[in-house]
C-alpha cells in the first residue's frame, strides 16, 4: 500500500460498487422489457439472445463497479493484479456460460424452424455447448498465465487412448450425427425396426435414440444399432399414409351396388372422422374369388400412422351397419366335421349358403 487508507477512499469505493449495482438493476429491468417484446416476434433467436444478455450485462456492471472500487483504493500492485485477475476470470466465466446458452439456443431455434432437421434432438445442442465451454476454459487458463500448449499436446495424445477405450461410445456418437445429417430419422417420425420395435422418435442424443411406443412406453436404442438396422419410416418422405382394409361380400351380391354403397360410406368417414384425409381419393379394388366370398380392398387416406386405427375402426362400423341396411351379406366360412362308424370324414368348408366346397373320406 503506497499510502494510508482514508475515509474518502472508502466513500469513493462504496459509490463505485453502488453505481455498479444500480447499473445492474437498471440493465436487468431494461432487458426484461426487451424480453417481453422479443416474445412477440416469430423468430425465437432474439428470445435466446436477450435471455443471455440478462445474465451477462448485470454481472458485467457489478464487476465494473468492483474494478472501479479497486482502482480508487490504495492497493499494492500485487493485490491490484490479483483483483483484476479474479474479475477477468469472473467475467470470462459468466460470458462463457451465456455464450454456451446463446449458441445452444440458436442451434435449437434453427433446427426447430427448418423442416427435415432434428427439432428436438439434443445431440447438436450438447456438442455446441461443450465446445463453447471448452473454449472458455482454455481462455481462463490463458488469463491465469497457464500455458495451454502442453495441455493441448497432452489432450491430443490422451485423446487417442480415450478413443480406443470408448470405441462403442464414439461409434454411437458418430452414428447419431450420421442419422441426423442424412435425415433418415428425425424426432417426431414414426419408425418400425426389423427387430420389431416401433414408435415415435422422441430424441436422438449423443449415445442413443429414444422411441415412444403407442402404449406410451419408452424404448432406448443405441445409435449404432439403429444405423445398422433395417427400418421403415412411416413419416418420410410424406407423413400422409394409405390404409388398406380387406372386405368380402357374397357371390349373389350386385358388385356395382356394393361399390356404390362402399364409396358413400368412405366419403362419409373421410369427412367426419378426425385423422382422415377428405381430399384423398379413395379406391375400391375387387381382387379375389374366395371360397365363400368375393374379396376386395378399400384404400383410405390418413394424416399419420396412429390415425389409421381410429379411421379403420369407424369405417368398419359404418360399413357393417350400412351393408345390413342395404341387404348386402358378408358371408362367413363354416367347417363341418362328420363322424361315422369306421369312417372319418375330413372337414369340408361350406359357405353361408351351405354349398360344400370340397370333402373326402378315409376308411378306418
Amino acid at each position: 500500500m503506497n499510502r494510508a487508507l482514508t475515509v474518502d477512499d472508502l466513500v469513493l469505493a462504496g459509490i463505485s460498487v453502488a453505481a455498479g449495482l444500480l447499473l445492474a438493476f437498471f440493465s436487468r429491468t431494461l432487458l426484461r422489457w426487451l424480453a417481453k417484446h422479443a416474445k412477440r416476434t416469430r423468430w425465437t433467436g432474439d428470445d435466446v439472445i436477450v435471455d443471455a444478455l440478462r445474465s451477462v450485462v448485470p454481472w458485467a456492471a457489478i464487476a465494473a463497479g468492483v474494478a472501479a472500487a479497486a482502482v480508487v483504493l490504495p492497493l499494492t500492485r500485487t493485490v491490484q493484479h490479483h483483483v483484476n485477475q479474479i474479475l477477468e476470470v469472473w467475467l470470462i466465466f459468466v460470458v462463457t456460460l451465456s455464450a454456451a446458452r446463446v449458441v445452444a439456443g440458436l442451434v435449437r431455434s434453427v433446427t426447430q424452424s427448418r423442416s427435415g432437421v432434428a427439432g428436438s434432438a439434443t445431440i447438436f445442442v450438447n456438442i455446441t455447448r461443450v465446445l463453447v465451454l471448452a473454449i472458455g476454459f482454455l481462455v481462463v487458463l490463458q488469463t491465469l498465465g497457464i500455458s495451454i500448449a502442453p495441455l493441448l499436446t497432452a489432450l491430443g495424445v490422451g485423446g487417442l487412448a480415450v478413443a480406443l477405450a470408448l470405441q462403442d461410445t464414439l461409434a454411437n456418437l458418430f452414428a447419431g450425427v450420421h442419422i441426423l445429417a442424412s435425415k433418415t430419422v428425425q424426432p417426431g417420425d414414426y419408425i418400425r425396426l426389423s427387430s420389431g420395435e416401433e414408435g415415435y422418435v422422441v430424441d436422438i442424443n449423443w449415445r442413443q435414440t429414444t422411441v415412444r411406443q403407442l402404449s406410451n412406453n419408452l424404448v432406448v436404442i443405441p445409435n449404432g444399432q439403429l444405423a445398422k438396422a433395417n427400418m421403415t419410416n412411416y413419416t418420410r418422405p410424406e407423413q400422409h399414409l394409405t390404409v388398406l382394409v380387406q372386405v368380402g361380400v357374397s357371390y349373389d351380391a350386385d358388385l356395382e351396388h356394393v361399390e356404390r354403397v362402399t364409396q358413400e360410406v368412405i366419403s362419409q368417414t373421410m369427412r367426419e372422422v378426425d385423422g382422415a384425409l377428405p381430399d384423398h381419393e379413395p379406391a375400391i379394388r375387387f381382387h379375389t374369388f374366395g371360397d365363400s366370398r368375393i374379396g376386395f380392398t378399400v384404400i383410405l387416406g390418413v394424416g399419420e400412422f396412429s390415425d389409421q386405427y381410429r379411421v379403420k375402426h369407424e369405417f368398419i362400423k359404418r360399413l357393417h351397419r350400412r351393408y345390413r341396411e342395404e341387404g348386402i351379406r358378408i358371408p362367413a366360412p363354416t367347417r363341418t366335421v362328420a363322424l361315422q362308424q369306421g369312417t372319418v370324414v375330413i372337414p369340408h368348408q361350406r359357405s353361408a349358403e351351405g354349398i360344400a366346397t370340397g370333402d373326402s373320406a378315409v376308411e378306418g
Side-chain angles (χ1 to χ4, degrees), residues 25 32 38 72 76 80 95 112 122 143 181 190 215 289 302 307 341:
F25 173 76
R32 186 182 298 113
V72 171
T76 62
Q80 184 73 37
V95 171
Q112 288 176 348
T122 60
T143 303
Y190 192 96
S215 58
F289 288 102
V302 297
D307 292 333
Q341 186 78 23

Side-chain angles (χ1 to χ4, degrees), residues 308-321:
Q308 63 176 306
Y309 302 106
R310 178 171 56 255
V311 174
K312 290 169 65 175
H313 169 77
E314 291 294 332
F315 172 71
I316 291 174
K317 287 198 308 182
R318 299 181 185 206
L319 186 66
H320 181 261
R321 181 173 61 250

Side-chain angles (χ1 to χ4, degrees), residues 181-208:
S182 63
K183 301 181 182 180
T184 55
V185 179
Q186 301 294 332
D189 293 355
Y190 192 96
I191 62 172
R192 176 182 293 166
L193 303 183
S194 56
S195 55
E197 296 89 352
E198 63 176 277
Y200 289 98
V201 178
V202 177
D203 188 31
I204 303 175
N205 58 30
W206 63 274
R207 182 181 179 275
Q208 62 203 17

Side-chain angles (χ1 to χ4, degrees), residues 275-296:
L277 299 178
D279 298 334
H280 177 79
E281 184 176 354
I284 302 172
R285 297 293 182 265
F286 293 94
H287 55 73
T288 304
F289 288 102
D291 293 335
S292 60
R293 63 179 68 187
I294 297 178
F296 63 94

